Amino acid sequence: VVTLDDASIAADMARSLVRGGLKIVEITLRTPAALRAIEVIAGRVPEITVAAGTVMSLEDLRCAAAAGASLAISPGATPTLLDECRDAEIPLLPGIATASELMAGLAAKYRCFKLFPAGAAGGIAVLKAFAAPCPQARFCPTGGITQDGAASYLDLENVPCVGGSWITPPEALAHQDWPRIEALASRAAALRTAAPR
Ligand code: 3PG
């Protein structure tokens, strides 16, 4: 999960992730540079799938799709967002944090969700609890995940992937420290080998 202030480093950043073995990057729509960064990555680094994060509306999703994003991710899920984005140009991974939000998402025909903020919302315990009444749901927990904590999430049957900003620390981005980002990406990619699903 990457928040970029400068789209001119987007391609180098994405190539560092690819060299480390990662296949997907979420660019948050939190800065004026975000849509351009998505466009740059989609156009110049085809080895990686680019998702748009912090999508709050159908309009955000459409702008992200037009920039080249393959996936939209929202921190939460209003009934309007769930309804409007269900058949949109690109899929939405809606954010949920409670059983009621999960039920609303399932009722709206979504099956994959972002658990956000994962750590603060209950982390592994809440994902285990959701598995009993809603075994069909799958989750990408983000928010408070670390390299050391990620493996325990990936051990869960209902967690095919996790996300987080630990792979692209702001200071590494500011210094364009691509070897460091590649090394962090490589450690993160190794988690997949350890827990294939
Ligand atoms: C976010 O949307 O900011 C992500 O969930 C990243 O959270 P993190 O910075 O705690 O990894």
Side-chain angles (χ1 to χ4, degrees):
V1 180
V2 190
T3 299
L4 282 178
D5 291 315
D6 178 3
S8 74
I9 65 167
D12 285 339
M13 182 278 298
R15 287 189 193 107
S16 304
L17 299 181
V18 170
R19 281 196 301 275
L22 293 184
K23 300 182 174 184
I24 182 161
V25 60
E26 173 187 334
I27 304 294
T28 64
L29 299 186
R30 295 181 200 166
T31 63
L35 285 173
R36 177 65 187 147
I38 289 170
E39 191 175 37
V40 165
I41 296 168
R44 296 192 209 156
V45 195
E47 302 89 341
I48 201 162
T49 297
V50 59
T54 323
V55 167
M56 302 284 198
S57 65
L58 178 61
E59 177 65 17
D60 285 348
L61 179 147
R62 288 197 166 140
C63 290
S70 301
L71 172 72
I73 303 172
S74 59
T78 64
T80 303
L81 188 74
L82 289 171
D83 186 44
E84 291 185 344
C85 294
R86 186 169 36 238
D87 299 315
E89 300 92 306
I90 56 175
L92 173 70
L93 185 70
I96 64 104
T98 67
S100 295
E101 291 164 5
L102 175 56
M103 287 171 62
L106 290 168
K109 307 290 184 218
Y110 291 80
R111 195 176 73 93
C112 298
F113 302 90
K114 163 171 167 145
L115 176 70
F116 180 80
I124 287 165
V126 81
L127 288 160
K128 282 185 179 168
F130 285 163
C134 304
Q136 72 276 43
R138 292 291 175 272
F139 301 93
C140 174
T142 74
I145 312 281
T146 62
Q147 173 69 35
D148 290 340
S152 302
Y153 280 94
L154 290 166
D155 280 343
L156 301 176
E157 193 65 39
N158 58 358
V159 175
C161 60
V162 301
S165 64
W166 83 88
I167 301 159
T168 52
E171 67 277 13
L173 291 172
H175 293 107
Q176 302 188 30
D177 188 349
W178 308 132
R180 179 164 176 224
I181 288 177
E182 179 182 336
L184 288 165
S186 177
R187 285 190 70 207
L191 290 163
R192 188 177 51 226
T193 319
R197 199 160 18 245

